[in-house]
Amino acid sequence: MKGRLVLAVFLLSNILCYSVKAQILTREDSLNAGLDPNHRNVILAGYGEAKVSVDQNLKTANANLTRSVLFVGYRFTPKITFFSEMELEDARVSATGGGISMEQCVLKFDLNHSNYLLAGLMIPRIGLLNENHLPITFNGNDRHFVEQMIIPATWREMGVGYYGSSSSLPGLNWSVALLNGLNASRIGFGQGIRDARFGGRDATASNVALTAALLYYRGGFRLQASGYYGGSAGFTQREADSLRLNSGLFGTPVALTEANMQFRHNGFVLKALATYVYISQAQKLNAAFASNAPQVMYGYYAELGYNLLQGTRHKDKQCNIFTRYERLDMLAAVPENGIDNDILNQQYLITGITYLPIRNVAIKFDWTHKVTGEPNPAMIFNPSPNAPPYLRVNNFYQMGMAYSF
Amino acid sequence: MKRRDFIKTGCLACAAMAAGSSLASLQSCSPMPVYKATVDQHQIIVPKTAFLEGETMKVVRSSATLYDILLVAKPNEEPRALLMSCTHFSNALVPNTNGLNCNLHGSQFDLQGAVINGPASKALKKFTVSTNEQNYLINLKNN
């Protein structure tokens, strides 16, 4: 009894101690916190987006709270910080959809002013949107399709990353991370590697991945190149043998390369990205799982935008007009035992307006023109005689809003 | 598109972009060393001799602040000092010759501390800078 009492007093004193020391700060206070090396602080923030989308072919409209994310950060000491993002997709979770997940949950250890380590559920530096995915920072109601279907943003895995920047070459940054690998059984037709992510949930770590990136700021340019190479068969030796897959750290590998650039000048913003995925043993995946896995996927896009309010007195507002062209093929090459299907060879033209009355809020209008290849009739099993014809072209008219605080 | 063609095209595009950016800012290619400053009565003291000839910016590090400070001292302009902490999530900023960048969510700031690109919405914290014959004095109070 006495022991329990002592424990209770100890816990209570700790809670009180923390409640005194931990303060929820406004942004202004947070700034001031930078002046005090011993200051502890909590940061609460978040972002979200919603849209209404009209499908021209189906002549229907859909309204959805796409995502709502709560960010919590805490600075334990000047050199150890906690970051987390918890995301609710599609407003609620049910058997038919929606999801709640952690987008990141990491501890950041500052080694010095220009080098740090991240450990936990982390978002590696791959592509433009993976790290910087706040909806007020990109044009259009949808995240870039190439960065949804080829680079599966938001791509997060358990791991450890080393991040640094150069003081001798200003603007040069680098990162290297060791992550858990992918799930070979979920690599397949129409999903690419998206469903093969573990996202921090019961991931196999007997297969791992290495990723590295170079990021360089110079003038109005932001240039980045990154690569990913990881095993996907985190099975036991017995399972792997029975599936005729190569297991081990980098067994049945997936390789991804990517390069992107942004250029900003006088209200103009140019963005471009290209990515390529190679799954050398796709044939073995198909033999094991009959998943029609791709051997090669690729995608690229380019976007040009201009802020109509540039140079006016409305410095805190933006009215960006933009046009983006995207091209991707999720089945660019199939192994001998795969079935080609041009339906995954897709092009998108997106054009629209993003209006930011303040920097934290965006109102978005866009028109998305989608063109796909012809579906392979061999993949339509037991076709219905009453099925409507497949329409290769469709248009979507979308209106949405986004916020970040 | 064949794999070899894709890699070739991608590499050429990257090389072209890199060459373009290099040409666009050749004149601004110089290192940005860190100066470890002393603090005296809420003032960070940076000797003018810490700036080498032609240098207009210096990253100043001291025991008084959690984040570095970017001291900008250009000819014919008032010197200014910017706290290198992103106003979005207080992440340490990375300087380059045209501004400061946050690698956490992509915010960008110019050398006046103003936001160029969000999600940050507020300008960087500025400190007043006074000078005497020998030093720049970054005042940590009265901002």
Side-chain angles (χ1 to χ4, degrees):
Chain A
M1 183 67 192
K2 189 178 175 185
R4 286 183 184 176
L5 190 64
V6 171
L7 182 63
V9 169
F10 175 76
L11 288 173
L12 189 63
S13 64
N14 266 297
I15 290 167
L16 286 173
C17 182
Y18 260 81
S19 63
V20 168
K21 286 179 177 175
Q23 301 172 47
I24 296 174
L25 300 175
T26 64
R27 189 73 61 240
E28 200 65 41
D29 293 330
S30 174
L31 276 176
N32 294 330
L35 299 176
D36 181 359
N38 297 313
H39 201 98
R40 292 167 186 251
N41 61 79
V42 172
I43 297 176
L44 285 177
Y47 65 89
E49 57 185 327
K51 69 171 183 179
V52 177
S53 179
V54 177
D55 184 320
Q56 190 182 56
N57 284 353
L58 295 177
K59 296 189 169 43
T60 57
N62 172 269
N64 191 35
L65 179 60
T66 312
R67 57 179 51 88
S68 176
V69 178
L70 181 65
F71 179 102
V72 178
Y74 186 78
R75 185 182 297 282
F76 294 100
T77 73
K79 294 198 167 186
I80 303 178
T81 316
F82 168 73
F83 291 103
S84 72
E85 280 182 55
M86 188 164 64
E87 177 182 47
L88 175 60
E89 284 182 304
D90 303 330
R92 68 189 178 96
V93 184
S94 70
T96 55
I100 187 164
S101 57
M102 296 302 294
E103 276 206 322
Q104 58 175 317
C105 189
V106 292
L107 285 170
K108 177 171 177 263
F109 301 90
D110 290 338
L111 303 175
N112 52 45
H113 279 73
S114 54
N115 293 273
Y116 62 89
L117 296 173
L118 288 184
L121 180 64
M122 55 181 289
I123 299 174
R125 186 172 290 161
I126 301 173
L128 263 172
L129 286 188
N130 206 41
E131 266 192 323
N132 305 322
H133 50 264
L134 301 192
I136 59 166
T137 62
F138 60 84
N139 288 316
N141 284 282
D142 294 310
R143 290 179 177 177
H144 307 163
F145 295 103
V146 170
E147 294 196 78
Q148 293 185 53
M149 299 185 201
I150 309 296
I151 300 172
T154 309
W155 190 358
R156 65 272 193 182
E157 303 287 2
M158 298 295 293
V160 180
Y162 166 62
Y163 291 72
S165 57
S166 169
S167 57
S168 58
L169 184 56
L172 179 66
N173 305 267
W174 58 80
S175 69
V176 182
L178 176 68
L179 309 168
N180 64 261
L182 295 169
N183 182 351
S185 68
R186 305 298 301 274
I187 298 173
F189 176 81
Q191 290 297 327
I193 57 174
R194 187 167 189 85
D195 279 2
R197 302 169 303 170
F198 283 98
R201 182 185 180 192
D202 201 19
T204 57
S206 48
N207 59 318
V208 298
L210 274 174
T211 177
L214 279 177
L215 168 62
Y216 187 39
Y217 292 97
R218 189 160 183 182
F221 282 90
R222 179 194 189 277
L223 305 169
Q224 181 184 302
S226 69
Y228 171 97
Y229 186 83
S232 67
F235 306 114
T236 64
Q237 188 68 52
R238 180 186 170 84
E239 288 171 326
D241 288 347
S242 68
L243 293 166
R244 296 178 184 273
L245 294 176
N246 297 333
S247 60
L249 290 179
F250 294 98
T252 319
V254 173
L256 183 152
T257 57
E258 165 272 329
N260 67 71
M261 63 84 70
Q262 279 188 69
F263 177 66
R264 293 176 183 276
H265 185 69
N266 283 346
F268 284 97
V269 180
L270 176 65
K271 296 179 183 179
L273 178 145
T275 182
Y276 185 90
V277 177
Y278 182 59
I279 304 170
S280 58
Q281 296 172 16
Q283 187 164 355
K284 290 184 175 181
L285 292 178
N286 287 343
F289 305 112
S291 52
N292 201 20
Q295 187 162 54
V296 170
M297 301 190 294
Y298 72 83
Y300 55 85
Y301 66 74
E303 176 184 305
L304 181 63
Y306 179 68
N307 176 15
L308 295 172
L309 300 180
Q310 174 74 18
T312 69
R313 60 189 174 86
H314 303 289
K315 288 185 177 175
D316 292 330
K317 303 175 195 278
Q318 286 183 29
C319 186
N320 301 313
I321 53 172
F322 72 95
T323 296
R324 182 168 69 246
Y325 172 75
E326 300 196 48
R327 171 85 190 270
L328 61 94
D329 193 341
M330 300 181 76
L331 211 56
V334 291
E336 282 182 3
N337 59 357
I339 304 171
D340 200 2
N341 193 340
D342 218 25
I343 199 171
L344 296 181
N345 185 356
Q346 302 180 350
Q347 298 177 73
Y348 296 86
L349 181 66
I350 306 107
T351 190
I353 297 176
T354 304
Y355 175 62
L356 289 88
I358 57 173
R359 286 191 180 271
N360 301 85
V361 172
I363 311 296
K364 299 180 175 186
F365 301 90
D366 69 69
W367 165 68
T368 300
H369 179 70
K370 177 182 177 182
V371 181
T372 73
E374 288 287 351
N376 184 346
M379 291 190 74
I380 303 172
F381 307 108
N382 195 19
S384 164
N386 296 323
Y390 178 78
L391 298 174
R392 291 178 52 239
V393 179
N394 200 359
N395 292 286
F396 300 89
Y397 303 90
Q398 305 192 111
M399 182 176 75
M401 61 97 182
Y403 63 87
S404 169
F405 60 89
Chain B
M1 185 181 287
K2 294 251 170 66
R3 182 179 169 221
R4 192 179 298 273
D5 295 337
F6 183 88
I7 292 172
K8 192 176 167 186
T9 310
C11 289
L12 281 173
C14 288
M17 286 190 303
S21 71
S22 301
L23 288 172
S25 54
L26 260 181
Q27 60 179 2
S28 58
C29 180
S30 61
M32 198 174 302
V34 175
Y35 178 76
K36 292 182 180 174
T38 55
V39 183
D40 182 39
Q41 294 185 345
H42 306 295
Q43 284 188 328
I44 297 176
I45 303 165
V46 182
K48 290 181 175 175
T49 52
F51 284 77
L52 302 177
E53 192 174 333
E55 276 188 348
T56 56
M57 289 186 288
K58 188 69 77 179
V59 175
V60 177
R61 187 167 296 166
S62 77
S63 58
T65 59
L66 178 56
Y67 300 92
D68 288 342
I69 289 172
L70 186 66
L71 178 59
V72 183
K74 293 188 173 181
N76 306 320
E77 288 183 19
E78 285 290 312
R80 55 192 176 274
L82 306 170
L83 187 68
M84 291 168 59
S85 166
C86 184
T87 54
H88 184 226
F89 282 160
S90 303
N91 192 49
L93 295 171
V94 178
N96 67 52
T97 47
N98 288 68
L100 301 102
N101 306 288
C102 177
N103 286 334
L104 198 58
H105 289 114
S107 296
Q108 292 178 293
F109 302 86
D110 65 17
L111 290 176
Q112 302 290 336
V115 178
I116 299 174
N117 184 37
S121 58
K122 290 195 174 180
L124 297 180
K125 183 169 184 63
K126 280 185 186 177
F127 301 98
T128 54
V129 181
S130 54
T131 59
N132 58 30
E133 282 189 6
Q134 288 87 30
N135 301 310
Y136 293 105
L137 305 169
I138 302 171
N139 194 345
L140 299 178
K141 279 196 165 183
N142 306 322
N143 288 289

